[in-house]
Amino acid sequence: MKVEKMHECPFQQGKIPQQQVIDENGLLFPMLLSPQQNKKDCNSLQSFLDTIRNNREWIENQIKRAGAVLFRGFPLKTAGDFNAVVEAFGWEEQSYLGAASRTRIEGRVFTANEAPLHQPIKFHHEMSTFEDFPTKLLFFCEIAPPEGGQTPLLLSHKITERMEEIYPELVRKLEKDGLIYPSILSEEDNPDDSITGWQSLYKTKDKEEAER
């Protein structure tokens, strides 16, 4: 039996009211990981980065188990700090090809969404209309808004299980026939709703090339 080894400065698991139990063993979604309270040297940014590098396999396994991991209580203050964390995981960077307008802040850190504040962002899969979609997303809040601003999460396989119970025929039809997403985009970016035009999205002004 393979045993996962945690190196120095392991995390401690915590609880928040928003977590949900997702299996019979009491696994919580998302999993909350914080610094060990009895080890002061574990509260520095460098210690956090070292812990990530030394325990990548363990962390990835927790992501697979719980679906999402929330790191809380670590000394991240800037986009630069967050970029260092992203780099510490060592995951390959993937170019964003979605329709939302995003601005690079530093390194691999971009704004998450620049839509007007009154527009809600519904549940969705990142770049789900592309064959090559990201398998992991990382979020960081540098300045919390006075109200709202939450990033709600859900487990897609739980939604699928529920759909199979309520709409079994629809699920079978989707599995058999697939699904087509039509994209209707303007030529240029729309600053009013922060939607990227097809010329910016596909990096071309040739409509035939974009349609391919």
Side-chain angles (χ1 to χ4, degrees):
M1 181 178 68
K2 184 177 180 180
V3 178
E4 296 171 346
K5 181 180 179 181
M6 285 288 289
H7 297 263
E8 292 184 4
C9 190
F11 306 110
Q12 73 175 25
Q13 295 192 33
K15 293 183 179 181
I16 54 175
Q18 295 83 357
Q19 287 172 304
Q20 300 290 323
V21 177
I22 59 174
D23 70 5
E24 63 278 3
N25 297 317
L27 181 63
L28 295 174
F29 169 81
M31 178 180 291
L32 174 60
L33 299 179
S34 300
Q36 289 283 9
Q37 296 301 315
N38 60 343
K39 295 184 178 181
K40 294 183 179 180
D41 60 330
C42 294
N43 294 325
S44 69
L45 176 60
Q46 187 58 53
S47 177
F48 184 33
L49 299 178
D50 291 340
T51 304
I52 292 173
R53 296 188 186 100
N54 293 333
N55 298 281
R56 287 175 183 167
E57 182 179 357
W58 184 88
I59 295 172
E60 288 210 39
N61 286 337
Q62 305 320 303
I63 295 173
K64 293 176 182 177
R65 287 181 61 228
V69 170
L70 172 61
F71 292 100
R72 178 164 288 181
F74 296 93
L76 276 69
K77 298 181 179 180
T78 67
D81 293 343
F82 181 47
N83 186 66
V85 170
V86 174
E87 295 288 357
F89 278 107
W91 295 323
E92 183 179 355
E93 183 176 11
Q94 185 165 356
S95 299
Y96 176 68
L97 297 175
S101 178
R102 293 177 176 174
T103 302
R104 185 187 297 271
I105 303 300
E106 181 171 342
R108 295 169 63 173
V109 177
F110 291 75
T111 54
N113 194 286
E114 298 178 8
L117 297 179
H118 68 276
Q119 292 186 1
I121 301 174
K122 299 180 179 180
F123 289 116
H124 62 281
H125 292 127
E126 190 74 356
M127 292 169 52
S128 60
T129 58
F130 295 86
E131 292 184 358
D132 187 20
F133 51 84
T135 59
K136 301 178 185 69
L137 297 174
L138 294 88
F139 293 91
F140 166 66
C141 179
E142 183 175 7
I143 301 175
E147 61 179 344
Q150 296 91 340
T151 301
L153 302 174
L154 57 76
L155 292 169
S156 296
H157 69 278
K158 293 293 185 181
I159 300 299
T160 301
E161 291 172 0
R162 186 63 173 154
M163 286 186 63
E164 288 174 338
E165 295 176 1
I166 303 176
Y167 309 109
E169 293 183 2
L170 173 61
V171 172
R172 286 195 294 269
K173 181 175 176 60
L174 291 173
E175 290 176 339
K176 177 184 176 182
D177 300 333
L179 189 63
I180 295 177
Y181 291 91
S183 295
I184 302 175
L185 300 171
S186 61
E187 288 188 355
E188 299 180 352
D189 300 349
N190 187 341
D192 293 332
D193 57 12
S194 190
I195 297 297
T196 301
W198 63 262
Q199 293 182 356
S200 295
L201 178 61
Y202 297 110
K203 307 296 188 295
T204 180
K205 293 185 178 181
D206 187 327
K207 184 177 292 187
E208 292 184 0
E209 181 179 346
E211 290 176 345
R212 287 198 294 268

